[in-house]
Amino acid sequence: MALTSPVDARTGTVSSGGATTPGGIGRFIGYRLVSGLGTLVFVLLFNFFLFRLLPGDPAARYRAVKNIGAADLARIRAELDAPVLTQFWAYLRDPLALNGISAWKGQPVWDLVGGRAWPTVVLLGSSTLISVLIGVRVGIRAGWKRGGRFDKASTAVTLLFYATPEFWLGLMLILLLSSGVGPFPALFPSGGVIDSGIDPLSIDGAVSVAEHTVLPATALAAVYIAEYSLIMRASIIDEQSQDYLTTARAKGLMDHVVRRRHAVPNASLPTITLIFLNIGFIIGGAITVETVFSYPGLGLLTFEAVSEQDFVLMQALFLVFTLSVIVFNIIADVVIALLDPRIRG
Amino acid sequence: MAVLELRDVHLTYRTAQGPVPAVRGVDLSVDGGEVLGLAGESGCGKSSLVASVLRLQPRSATVTGQVLVGGENVQTMSWRRLRAVRWGEAAVVFQGALHSLNPIQRIGRQLVEPILLHDSAATPRTAADKVAGLLAQVGLPETHADSYPHQLSGGQKQRVMIALALTCDPQVLIADEPTTALDVMVQAQVLELLVGIARQRGMGVVIISHDLSVLATTCHRVAVMYAGRVVELGPAQELFEHARHPYVRALARAFPTIGEARSRYAPAGLPGDPPFPDRLPSGCPFHPRCADAVDECSSVDVRLRPAGPGRVAACVHVGAGVG
Ligand SMILES: Nc1ncnc2c1ncn2[C@@H]1O[C@H](COP(=O)(O)OP(=O)(O)OP(=O)(O)O)[C@@H](O)[C@H]1O
Ligand SMILES: [Mg+2]
């Protein structure tokens, strides 16, 4: 069009426009992995000194364990008696303590950790699923009609959940739904993750695991439901004053389409970050809930490692927890970068 | 025929400090193919008026009077009908194009959305073709359909907003300061472009701008607002050369230098600040700043009166031989 020709000349050179190149996100991930690796190195160094500052006599702990052979015991003795610098050198050669022996059980620590990992993953996965599905929806609905009846009711309930200590909620659940007091039948088992003698990979096993997981997952989810719904509500409210939502309404879109297609994707960015960071933390932070329910995951193992002063096990667990925080931090950043073009640049 | 008609439109915001009457009785009409300019100092109620045309005013605002798009009252129609009128019959280039696009959606998707919504015959393919054509019309390369808003300059975003407003071939196009982020040369081009496309398609256009010289050259008629009301309306050229209302005269005097940004907000030779809508002076709201004020002005709230062929002005001196 003749009309546009002078305008064309001005824009022809500006910005090549176009989609973000795959190289962009690739470079972003690479950068995050490298910086994550840097953090890991720092954590490994920290991990060495932290557990050598703890009080107690590790050698005595090992002597008390029956099933450690004399040769192993001698090796451990020698290691513990060596000067700190020698120990540090040995640590640098094997920072993951791949052949570390638990002072509490006398087994290789990573066997112990491995055996306790899957219940935590089940617990964490189910509670995250519950809290995201409920919390995010409640937050969206409350924030969209801010000050409405649903908002008032849900905010009151979520604040209550948010303020409830996990251990108390856990005990209440056990009391009411598991031990069968008064009019309440014993609906769910408490303690353990599966009835003994069942293969967890069979149908019966899955049912048994589900029964054992319902209560701890509920106790764990409660606080996160509250957290996600409060954050999501705040983001939706923030988003509502944005001009692009006026544009979306002006286009003639129905209210729920404006919400779903425009408001929610923008408003969920902070919540998504939080969810992934929380997953990283909960792996180490389910200690309370797992202990209350005697749920044999990594949290309970941590509790046991501390009470048994098993510092090799503590060191391994500490590594798992910090690694999970680092990894889920990276995942959070990458997911956000995938969702938000402004971060990819 | 008038495609947009406002009859005694009032818009009042309820606030914690009490009611804020931002629009206080505006009558305007725009014919198909006509370009109406709307000017006035910051805060005089221009954007509030625009919001009422698509019933986009916030819930805290009450609108009375009639807002007729194609003869139908937007403020009272059903939600279902309103959704069809929005963008299908009246579209807006919003003030502040910088934030008017969804930051995490590609431009193309945002432009295609209203087409697919309003044109039942459209397919993603035909809609994308139409969008490519519109982008070319506003002087943007087609490839910008794949860009995200942050990858565009302010001026490019304003062009995208213009293209967006044109997607559904509305009868009424309102452009609320569509060129503020552009430099002076491009400003004139973009406005010409907008007016050209609109005229060619027989749309009624309202252009809001602080830049009177731009309005004078692109519009058929111009209305000037002060404190929530139109204080003068007339053919563009005439209005600025022989303004009847003292406020419009002061505005026109303030534009010896075309496009000087500062003069938009503080017209030279006009003492004082515009009044706050919740604290209007008695009588004519302009009288405290008016060089020609007489005793009567502080008590008589003068309404628009005939001021020559096709012209009206709200001043006691009009029709009394002055001006
Ligand atoms: N949501 C709101 N709540 C309360 N008052 C408001 C609201 N929006 C606008 N106002 C007030 O209404 C008056 C008119 O505002 P409006 O945005 O319509 O002015 P405008 O003429 O478009 O100004 P500008 O040229 O700066 O864009 C102003 O005094 C403003 O403070
Ligand atoms: Mg405005």
Side-chain angles (χ1 to χ4, degrees):
Chain A
M1 258 187 113
L3 254 178
T4 63
S5 51
V7 175
D8 269 332
R10 291 186 156 265
T11 44
T13 53
V14 196
S15 156
S16 59
T20 316
T21 53
I25 187 75
R27 201 160 347 111
F28 183 84
I29 295 176
Y31 169 79
R32 279 305 280 116
L33 284 177
V34 170
S35 72
L37 223 59
T39 317
L40 184 63
V41 168
F42 180 79
V43 164
L44 285 173
L45 294 181
F46 186 69
N47 211 1
F48 172 80
F49 292 103
L50 182 69
F51 294 98
R52 273 157 187 81
L53 293 177
L54 288 180
D57 179 1
R61 298 290 321 156
Y62 280 107
R63 255 198 317 275
V65 182
K66 303 280 174 302
N67 55 352
I68 298 188
D72 270 339
L73 200 58
R75 175 174 66 85
I76 292 165
R77 276 309 284 264
E79 278 170 19
L80 286 169
D81 286 343
V84 170
L85 270 182
T86 316
Q87 288 190 31
F88 187 53
W89 178 237
Y91 175 78
L92 285 185
R93 275 177 302 169
D94 181 20
L96 306 181
L98 287 178
N99 44 29
I101 304 283
S102 160
W104 166 44
K105 294 271 191 189
Q107 300 170 359
V109 281
W110 288 106
D111 286 359
L112 265 177
V113 171
R116 293 294 191 88
W118 73 264
T120 286
V121 170
V122 170
L123 176 62
L124 179 67
S126 50
S127 74
T128 301
L129 205 67
I130 299 170
S131 53
V132 169
L133 283 181
I134 299 178
V136 169
R137 275 156 203 257
V138 167
I140 291 171
R141 194 164 157 204
W144 194 247
K145 293 254 157 67
R146 180 193 195 176
R149 220 178 321 154
F150 182 85
D151 183 28
K152 283 186 182 135
S154 69
T155 305
V157 173
T158 47
L159 279 175
L160 194 69
F161 271 3
Y162 200 59
T164 309
E166 281 173 4
F167 73 89
W168 183 84
L169 187 63
L171 289 174
M172 286 300 131
L173 287 172
I174 292 175
L175 206 63
L176 296 180
L177 297 174
S178 173
S179 49
V181 274
F184 300 102
L187 283 176
F188 298 102
S190 79
V193 62
I194 187 166
D195 290 330
S196 53
I198 308 181
D199 174 10
L201 292 178
S202 66
I203 304 240
D204 283 349
V207 171
S208 176
V209 169
E211 279 175 353
H212 282 85
T213 307
V214 168
L215 294 186
T218 307
L220 193 56
V223 70
Y224 291 103
I225 289 176
E227 188 174 332
Y228 298 152
S229 80
L230 290 173
I231 299 280
M232 196 65 208
R233 173 180 178 274
S235 321
I236 282 276
I237 288 172
D238 265 2
E239 221 54 43
Q240 258 181 341
S241 57
Q242 300 287 324
D243 290 340
Y244 72 86
L245 286 188
T246 307
T247 308
R249 286 198 185 90
K251 284 174 175 176
L253 295 171
M254 287 200 264
D255 189 60
H256 70 91
V257 180
V258 174
R259 185 178 70 186
R260 177 169 45 79
R261 203 181 284 168
H262 293 279
V264 168
N266 279 285
S268 34
L269 297 174
T271 314
I272 289 172
T273 307
L274 188 70
I275 291 169
F276 282 104
L277 294 188
N278 275 345
I279 294 176
F281 282 117
I282 303 174
I283 290 183
I287 297 177
T288 321
V289 168
E290 287 188 6
T291 307
V292 167
F293 286 91
S294 311
Y295 192 86
L298 295 176
L300 184 60
L301 188 61
T302 307
F303 176 76
E304 290 161 342
V306 172
S307 13
E308 301 293 333
Q309 295 184 4
D310 186 344
F311 83 98
V312 180
L313 184 54
M314 279 189 248
Q315 191 171 311
L317 286 167
F318 187 84
L319 197 62
V320 171
F321 299 153
T322 43
L323 204 60
S324 77
V325 170
I326 293 173
V327 166
F328 278 97
N329 245 303
I330 295 176
I331 294 178
D333 282 355
V334 171
V335 169
I336 290 300
L338 286 173
L339 295 176
D340 187 347
R342 288 165 295 186
I343 297 200
R344 276 172 278 160
Chain B
M1 204 207 85
V3 288
L4 173 66
E5 201 172 349
L6 308 180
R7 291 191 194 147
D8 195 29
V9 172
H10 291 251
L11 186 150
T12 306
Y13 296 102
R14 281 185 312 278
T15 69
Q17 288 78 41
V20 177
V23 179
R24 305 182 303 128
V26 168
D27 294 88
L28 280 176
S29 82
V30 186
D31 290 339
E34 186 191 17
V35 183
L36 175 79
L38 188 60
E41 273 167 297
S42 184
C44 70
K46 305 180 296 293
S47 298
S48 303
L49 196 63
V50 172
S52 75
V53 173
L54 287 182
R55 215 208 278 181
L56 285 169
Q57 70 271 12
R59 234 171 291 173
S60 68
T62 322
V63 175
T64 61
Q66 290 180 297
V67 180
L68 307 175
V69 171
E72 290 176 274
N73 191 344
V74 172
Q75 289 292 333
T76 53
M77 64 178 50
S78 68
W79 280 101
R80 191 190 167 80
R81 180 72 195 129
L82 178 65
R83 285 198 303 270
V85 169
R86 285 180 174 176
W87 232 250
E89 315 225 329
V92 178
V93 180
F94 287 102
Q95 185 174 13
L98 300 189
H99 307 288
S100 294
L101 291 163
N102 186 335
I104 64 173
Q105 269 188 13
R106 290 180 201 277
I107 302 290
R109 184 162 167 218
Q110 301 188 51
L111 287 169
V112 161
E113 185 174 44
I115 302 178
L116 294 178
L117 182 69
H118 290 284
D119 179 0
S120 49
T123 65
R125 184 75 249 138
T126 62
D129 286 345
K130 183 166 186 182
V131 164
L134 282 168
L135 285 176
Q137 266 194 311
V138 297
L140 291 174
E142 267 179 50
T143 52
H144 274 20
D146 291 329
S147 301
Y148 289 97
H150 74 277
Q151 296 169 319
L152 269 55
S153 72
Q156 290 172 325
K157 274 184 229 176
Q158 278 187 324
R159 283 166 208 223
V160 169
M161 291 309 291
I162 292 172
L164 180 63
L166 294 170
T167 45
C168 296
D169 299 301
Q171 301 176 38
V172 178
L173 179 70
I174 304 180
D176 192 351
E177 303 194 32
T179 57
T180 35
L182 304 180
D183 62 77
V184 185
M185 296 304 288
V186 188
Q187 234 180 58
Q189 284 165 7
V190 168
L191 272 187
E192 252 167 60
L193 166 74
L194 182 81
V195 169
I197 295 172
R199 214 177 276 171
Q200 175 196 325
R201 300 190 188 178
M203 299 175 186
V205 181
V206 178
I207 295 179
I208 296 176
S209 175
H210 288 281
D211 199 329
L212 302 189
S213 53
V214 164
L215 293 184
T217 52
T218 45
C219 301
H220 300 117
R221 292 188 302 150
V222 171
V224 178
M225 283 179 73
Y226 190 82
R229 278 192 194 150
V230 173
V231 292
E232 186 162 1
L233 171 70
Q237 214 70 38
E238 254 179 75
L239 184 114
F240 292 122
E241 276 162 24
H242 309 286
R244 308 297 305 274
H245 194 288
Y247 171 64
V248 182
R249 264 205 301 280
L251 275 190
R253 258 204 315 277
F255 271 90
T257 44
I258 295 174
E260 194 210 317
R262 220 157 32 84
S263 57
R264 289 178 186 177
Y265 303 103
L270 191 56
D273 295 312
F276 290 105
D278 52 340
R279 261 164 284 154
L280 291 180
S282 63
C284 168
F286 184 61
H287 86 264
R289 304 168 77 190
C290 183
D292 305 328
V294 293
D295 286 351
E296 202 185 337
C297 295
S298 59
S299 54
V300 178
D301 187 9
V302 60
R303 304 304 301 260
L304 286 172
R305 45 177 87 177
R311 300 185 61 174
V312 286
C315 177
V316 290
H317 299 305
V318 169
V322 182

